[in-house]
Amino acid sequence: MASKLVVIIVFILDLIAVGLAIAAEQRRSVVKVVTDNEKTYEYCVYGTDIATSYGAGVFLLHCISQVLIMSASRCFCCGKSLNPSGSRACALILFLICWVFFLVAEVCLLAASIRNAYHTKYRKMWNIDNPPSCEVIRKGVFAAGAAFALFTAIVSQFYYVCYSRARDASQNPSYLTMSYFSQKAMFLGIKSWRLMYKKMQLQSL
């Protein structure tokens, strides 16, 4: 059975991570070009860098959440082998999808945090022909990280539940099979008892 504590902790971490990623998208750096009083050069003035801190926080929380899920499930392949079943096949598929979503989310968050922290200081000095632009992060990169973090959270929860079912089915005997054989044995026992009882009646006559 899936551990409720692991499910709750992972859910809280993922919820905080998605919230921070959305906040990072809304608070990403904006820039404006300013010219000095003597009009000698232009430089870039950036807004707050808090989105970088949010992105780093999401990156760490997302990693911790993934580590907890994979530790609880022994990364699917490091624990005892699971018996072939529908839950095992479903867990394997969700395991692969979970890792794909996780890696995409981490790449988006890491790239967005680095780009948001990068600032171009001077843009144009002494009539340079091709001045550098004021670099800012593109809109939607943090949002993409938030979306894939949310997908990872959903898929990882389903993966852990399916893995727990497959593990329980491997560790414990099938109750359906036991019930079938017990009912069959009971039926045969009652049938033999009836035959014996009828035989005793015939002998008494």
Side-chain angles (χ1 to χ4, degrees):
M1 183 177 179
S3 173
K4 293 182 178 179
L5 181 60
V6 173
V7 172
I8 293 173
I9 292 175
V10 170
F11 174 78
I12 293 174
L13 291 176
D14 289 333
L15 186 64
I16 296 173
V18 172
L20 287 177
I22 295 174
E25 174 65 25
Q26 296 176 345
R27 300 292 300 276
R28 69 186 188 280
S29 292
V30 293
V31 65
K32 61 180 180 178
V33 179
V34 178
T35 306
D36 69 318
N37 295 332
E38 298 179 356
K39 296 183 179 181
T40 304
Y41 58 86
E42 294 176 351
Y43 57 94
C44 307
V45 177
Y46 290 85
T48 177
D49 285 339
I50 194 170
T52 301
S53 300
Y54 286 166
V58 176
F59 184 88
L60 292 176
L61 289 175
H62 203 215
C63 283
I64 294 172
S65 172
Q66 187 77 353
V67 168
L68 286 176
I69 284 290
M70 293 303 153
S71 298
S73 63
R74 298 181 183 274
C75 204
F76 187 78
C77 54
C78 295
K80 295 182 179 179
S81 59
L82 303 177
N83 295 333
S85 63
S87 297
R88 179 175 177 255
C90 185
L92 177 59
I93 295 173
L94 292 174
F95 171 80
L96 298 176
I97 296 174
C98 176
W99 272 106
V100 172
F101 285 164
F102 171 78
L103 293 176
V104 174
E106 293 294 273
V107 169
C108 289
L109 293 169
L110 184 61
S113 299
I114 293 174
R115 175 56 64 181
N116 190 80
Y118 179 78
H119 293 169
T120 302
K121 189 174 182 181
Y122 294 104
R123 181 177 179 271
K124 186 176 182 181
M125 299 179 64
W126 303 295
N127 298 322
I128 298 177
D129 293 333
N130 296 314
S133 61
C134 297
E135 295 288 342
V136 290
I137 184 176
R138 292 183 178 181
K139 183 178 180 180
V141 181
F142 278 117
F148 279 101
L150 179 61
F151 295 155
T152 305
I154 296 172
V155 174
S156 64
Q157 294 281 0
F158 281 109
Y159 155 71
Y160 181 55
V161 172
C162 290
Y163 172 83
S164 299
R165 290 179 178 176
R167 180 188 58 194
D168 293 342
S170 299
Q171 292 178 351
N172 301 323
S174 175
Y175 293 103
L176 181 62
T177 304
M178 288 186 63
S179 177
Y180 172 78
F181 282 113
S182 61
Q183 290 177 3
K184 189 73 174 178
M186 185 181 296
F187 174 77
L188 292 176
I190 293 174
K191 187 176 182 180
S192 61
W193 181 83
R194 286 180 178 177
L195 291 175
M196 187 179 297
Y197 180 76
K198 287 182 180 181
K199 186 177 181 180
M200 290 176 63
Q201 286 183 335
L202 291 174
Q203 288 179 354
S204 62
L205 293 175

